[in-house]
Amino acid sequence: MNQTTANSAFKILIVDDVAENLRLLSTTLSKEGYEVRCAKNGAIALMGAHNDCPNLILLDINMPDLDGYEVCKRLKADLTTQDVPIIFVSAQNDIQDKVKAFDVGGVDFIGKPFQVEEILVRVKNQLALQAANAEIRALNEALEQRVKERTFEIESANQTLKQEIFQRQQLEQRLRYDAFHDSLTGLPNRQLLMQRVERCLDNAAEDPQTRFAILFIDLDRFKIINDSLGHAIGDKLLVACAERLEACIPPQTTIARLGGDEFTVLLEQIDGRQSAITVAEAVLQQFLTPFELSQRKLSITVSIGVAFGGSEYTCATDLLRDADTAMYRAKELGKGRYEVFTQQMYFEVMRRLEIEHELRNAIAEGELILHYQPIFALRDQKLVGFEALVRWQHPARGLVFPGDFIPLAEETGLIVMLGKWVMHEACRQLKVWQVELPMAQTLTMSINVAGEQLHAPDFLTVVDDVLAQTQVDARYLKLEIVESMLIEDSKQMIELLRQIKLRQIALSIDDFGTGYSSLSYLPQFPVDILKIDRSFVLAMNIEPQNLEIIKTIVTLAQVLEMQIIAEGIETKLQSKVLKDLNIEFGQGYLFSKPLTVQQAELLIDSSVKAQANC
Ligand code: C2E
Ligand code: MG
Ligand code: MG
């Protein structure tokens, strides 16, 4: 683009009352490519500039009506034209005129007579200046706009950030709450409880006078409710229990749910032991009223262990453990009660743990042995079989009897493994006798089976495996189960016993008469033998009632076509009375104590000889 074309973008207004000047200037500037307009007086100039704003004005001073100064003032007062650069072109060019010209807003002054070249240079300079100004203004505006936009962006980013921080804080609060509370009941959870117990321990370390207490609360038989009525009702019950606890516990007390059906109450400051016991009693009282859940009335009791804390404890878990131990003692003593922790309880737990550990090894180390108590026909005192009774040959404590480890094995589930071993060993021994001692061929082997074994899903498989491995004839086996097995979930139990009977194994009810069941259930179960408990035999000659009970059992057995074995016969008189009652079989110290394998073999031998002598 050449200069002339570039100049065409500029409009120049020439104001002069002398036509000759107008023409000369107009021609000169037009030649340079500028768009030129002319005004021959001030009024026309003002109107023209306002309507079509020029880029530059060349203004004469000396004009009739409005002189150049006045025109300039008015142009500067008009918003449309105020920024247009004005160059005065005048013959009045002494210094005052020039000063005044600049005062009223002119940007330059050219004296008349003027040189065309000067006019062009000055016009060009002013236009360049104006263009530069315009560019600066535009840049400024753009800059301002950018600043505005950035400010807006920063503000909205700030706003979003604030919102995010708020949401994050809320989330953090929620997470912190969730981490320390139980989601079902909303109560504090184990973590929070432990923190608070730690706080109590810190206080007690500073001030040994400080006493506090923990109540460990466990719902009794909650598992049965949960399993039989479903988890939804179980959950509702837990929530209702939490509410009951809150209703009877002093305010500012931590009630926590540890999980499952376990709750704890932390009494952070107590005056004396009695205040914790009062709370325990209030909790027991609170559970006397049945719960009403989903149109169902549910009664549930709680067992409570109380442990007192003070500077003697250094660790929160120890205190909780002791409260838990006391709670277990409350369960053992009949549930629905509280027990206060004593050091003795701790030693007992430790001892039980030790025995449990040793018992686990005992099976693997082959420390278990079987003794065999002979069973005789009362009529002719003929040996008919043995009952296998387990013993523990303890490396340090010597021979341990089942009363000292079977309950623990039942509690810990070890009984399943132990029972498997007993069954296998008793069958193996019977088979050995039957093969080696001809007279032992018809002897039976009675094996005690605990409830946990019967409930194990693979019980029948275990029986089948033992039969297959030992090759013993199932007809010579008798399984002794306890009465309480026949009360629970009877349908399944009847089916299981039927399966046992299908294998031609006989079933005895051990310790008969000591269970709490009613006799009406008995006919449903495929049982062959009732073993009258030792306690009836023992008391028979002392209390006539016991004899009556035995007579009733005999009648019952006759009606149900079952055999009877009397246990614990210690005297000849007992033996005679029982024989006279038509009881077929008996075992007891009168005849023989439980025997080792060698002793049992001698007995089998001697019974053969006795038989031969008859
Ligand atoms: P139980 O099955 O009723 O066994 C009879 C218990 O009475 C045996 O005690 C036996 O020694 C004892 N006894 C027998 N005759 C007399 C007597 O005339 N007077 C007295 N005072 N006692 C007599 P033991 O061997 O101490 O066994 C106790 C219980 O341990 C057994 O009672 C049985 O319930 C359980 N048990 C023994 N071995 C096993 C086993 O292998 N598995 C299971 N699950 N339980 C077993
Ligand atoms: Mg038995
Ligand atoms: Mg018994």
Side-chain angles (χ1 to χ4, degrees):
M1 193 166 44
N2 64 30
Q3 190 57 48
T4 323
T5 323
N7 287 348
S8 68
F10 297 106
K11 295 179 210 165
I12 300 176
L13 175 64
I14 308 165
V15 189
D16 204 320
D17 59 330
V18 180
E20 189 56 30
N21 287 346
L22 279 180
R23 199 176 317 115
L24 177 62
L25 284 171
S26 161
T27 315
T28 310
L29 293 170
S30 295
K31 259 192 208 152
E32 288 300 311
Y34 296 110
E35 190 187 325
V36 179
R37 275 176 294 141
C38 297
K40 61 175 190 283
N41 61 39
I44 295 171
L46 287 172
M47 204 190 315
H50 182 82
N51 289 339
D52 184 7
C53 187
N55 299 97
L56 181 79
I57 298 171
L58 294 175
L59 182 58
D60 184 22
I61 296 175
N62 203 358
M63 292 186 291
D65 301 331
L66 291 173
D67 66 10
Y69 299 129
E70 189 53 34
V71 174
C72 185
K73 274 188 204 162
R74 292 194 191 181
L75 285 167
K76 293 291 154 193
D78 183 344
L79 280 178
T80 318
T81 54
Q82 65 182 4
D83 292 329
V84 180
I86 296 165
I87 301 175
F88 283 95
V89 184
S90 176
Q92 285 178 231
N93 60 359
D94 58 27
I95 195 71
Q96 280 88 352
D97 293 317
K98 287 182 184 170
V99 170
K100 189 167 180 191
F102 285 109
D103 272 354
V104 293
V107 293
D108 205 353
F109 195 101
I110 304 169
K112 283 181 186 172
F114 51 75
Q115 295 292 311
V116 168
E117 291 77 12
E118 187 186 359
I119 292 280
L120 287 177
V121 169
R122 297 212 181 203
V123 163
K124 195 177 165 195
N125 279 349
Q126 278 309 321
L127 286 172
L129 210 60
Q130 195 209 20
N133 278 341
E135 202 176 328
I136 288 170
R137 245 194 328 272
L139 282 174
N140 268 342
E141 271 166 23
L143 198 65
E144 264 170 36
Q145 186 59 27
R146 286 270 302 147
V147 169
K148 258 189 213 159
E149 280 169 13
R150 284 295 294 155
T151 312
F152 178 75
E153 275 171 25
I154 288 169
E155 271 172 6
S156 58
N158 213 5
Q159 197 60 27
T160 320
L161 205 67
K162 268 187 194 159
Q163 227 163 337
E164 264 175 31
I165 290 172
F166 178 69
Q167 281 170 354
R168 219 166 264 245
Q169 280 171 341
Q170 278 199 320
L171 187 74
E172 223 177 85
Q173 256 176 14
R174 231 241 98 91
L175 287 177
R176 199 170 308 135
Y177 183 87
D178 287 351
F180 289 110
H181 289 83
D182 165 47
S183 58
L184 180 67
T185 59
L187 291 178
N189 63 11
R190 182 184 289 268
Q191 275 75 11
L192 189 52
L193 174 84
M194 291 320 246
Q195 278 188 7
R196 295 194 178 161
V197 177
E198 298 282 0
R199 193 171 65 193
C200 290
L201 290 175
D202 289 346
N203 292 344
E206 273 174 26
D207 174 11
Q209 299 299 314
T210 306
R211 303 298 298 167
F212 58 99
I214 276 198
L215 271 57
F216 199 114
I217 302 169
D218 189 280
L219 306 185
D220 297 325
R221 301 182 189 89
F222 175 74
K223 191 177 168 344
I224 298 174
I225 294 181
N226 215 25
D227 289 350
S228 54
L229 300 181
H231 288 231
I233 299 257
D235 282 357
K236 277 189 188 168
L237 181 62
L238 288 170
V239 172
C241 287
E243 284 164 5
R244 287 244 175 133
L245 288 176
E246 279 174 324
C248 70
I249 300 289
Q252 312 299 322
T253 306
T254 303
I255 307 171
R257 180 174 171 230
L258 297 190
D261 58 351
E262 292 174 346
F263 295 88
T264 44
V265 171
L266 172 63
L267 300 165
E268 293 198 25
Q269 196 100 51
I270 50 167
D271 311 330
R273 294 167 82 87
Q274 188 51 43
S275 51
I277 287 168
T278 308
V279 175
E281 281 165 349
V283 172
L284 292 176
Q285 183 73 27
Q286 192 72 9
F287 280 79
L288 290 181
T289 325
F291 289 85
E292 283 199 37
L293 294 175
S294 309
Q295 278 124 39
R296 208 186 281 268
K297 274 200 173 169
L298 286 176
S299 293
I300 193 150
T301 57
V302 291
S303 297
I304 307 173
V306 184
F308 291 99
S311 53
E312 67 276 19
Y313 281 97
T314 50
C315 168
T317 44
D318 287 358
L319 186 64
L320 201 68
R321 177 204 61 205
D322 289 350
D324 191 14
T325 302
M327 185 279 290
Y328 265 101
R329 177 55 57 89
K331 290 232 186 235
E332 278 168 8
L333 294 177
K335 305 189 172 85
R337 54 184 290 150
Y338 73 86
E339 279 299 313
V340 176
F341 174 77
T342 61
Q343 208 54 38
Q344 184 59 29
M345 288 182 194
Y346 174 74
F347 294 136
E348 280 166 28
V349 169
M350 292 315 284
R351 198 178 129 72
R352 278 159 71 99
L353 279 177
E354 199 183 322
I355 296 178
E356 186 191 331
H357 174 71
E358 288 177 354
L359 186 56
R360 213 173 276 277
N361 285 341
I363 300 170
E365 297 291 322
E367 289 170 13
L368 295 182
I369 54 165
L370 290 183
H371 280 182
Y372 300 91
Q373 186 172 34
I375 299 172
F376 294 92
L378 289 183
R379 191 165 28 91
D380 53 8
Q381 301 212 349
K382 188 180 160 215
L383 175 69
V384 292
F386 290 94
E387 175 175 2
L389 296 162
V390 69
R391 272 97 182 89
W392 181 2
Q393 193 70 61
H394 192 282
R397 278 186 275 148
L399 198 65
V400 184
F401 283 82
D404 289 337
F405 64 90
I406 290 284
L408 183 72
E410 286 177 342
E411 247 173 62
T412 54
L414 280 173
I415 191 73
V416 176
M417 198 175 24
L418 185 149
K420 221 182 260 185
W421 179 84
V422 169
M423 194 180 292
H424 190 277
E425 178 58 17
C427 289
R428 189 197 61 78
Q429 186 60 67
L430 181 64
K431 186 69 188 174
V432 169
W433 285 338
Q434 286 178 337
V435 169
E436 290 176 2
L437 311 169
M439 284 307 287
Q441 266 170 19
T442 55
L443 291 180
T444 59
M445 183 63 78
S446 298
I447 298 168
N448 293 287
V449 177
E452 287 75 7
Q453 285 176 266
L454 288 178
H455 284 137
D458 66 343
F459 181 70
L460 287 173
T461 319
V462 169
V463 171
D464 290 339
D465 286 351
V466 168
L467 290 176
Q469 284 161 13
T470 59
Q471 288 294 299
V472 88
D473 186 337
R475 281 177 303 164
Y476 299 113
L477 280 193
K478 294 175 188 218
L479 298 188
E480 295 192 4
I481 60 176
V482 287
E483 210 176 329
S484 58
M485 282 300 98
L486 308 186
I487 312 162
E488 293 165 17
D489 41 58
S490 39
K491 266 203 192 112
Q492 271 173 307
M493 193 48 71
I494 290 172
E495 180 51 27
L496 180 69
L497 299 186
R498 221 177 53 78
Q499 288 293 329
I500 295 172
K501 292 287 304 163
L502 273 180
R503 288 159 173 77
Q504 296 192 302
I505 300 171
L507 285 166
S508 315
I509 301 182
D510 207 354
D511 307 339
F512 187 74
T514 56
Y516 306 102
S517 56
S518 103
L519 292 183
S520 59
Y521 68 83
L522 200 54
Q524 306 167 32
F525 294 94
V527 175
D528 308 278
I529 302 156
L530 301 180
K531 290 190 82 170
I532 297 179
D533 189 65
R534 197 176 76 216
S535 56
F536 296 111
V537 175
L538 184 70
M540 190 171 60
N541 303 105
I542 310 159
E543 278 181 54
Q545 280 165 331
N546 281 297
L547 184 62
E548 288 310 311
I549 292 173
I550 293 177
K551 280 181 185 169
T552 312
I553 297 174
V554 171
T555 315
L556 183 76
Q558 278 165 355
V559 173
L560 298 176
E561 297 179 338
M562 293 176 182
Q563 292 179 331
I564 295 184
I565 301 179
E567 291 187 288
I569 303 172
E570 292 185 355
T571 64
K572 283 190 174 157
L573 178 62
Q574 286 167 346
S575 173
K576 183 177 176 334
V577 173
L578 294 166
K579 188 175 82 175
D580 290 347
L581 286 172
N582 280 330
I583 290 175
E584 295 107 313
F585 305 106
Q587 64 187 97
Y589 292 171
L590 172 68
F591 309 115
S592 167
K593 286 199 167 185
L595 304 173
T596 62
V597 173
Q598 290 74 19
Q599 290 168 331
E601 285 171 356
L602 284 177
L603 180 78
I604 297 170
D605 255 359
S606 64
S607 72
V608 172
K609 285 173 193 134
Q611 205 69 13
N613 291 339
C614 281

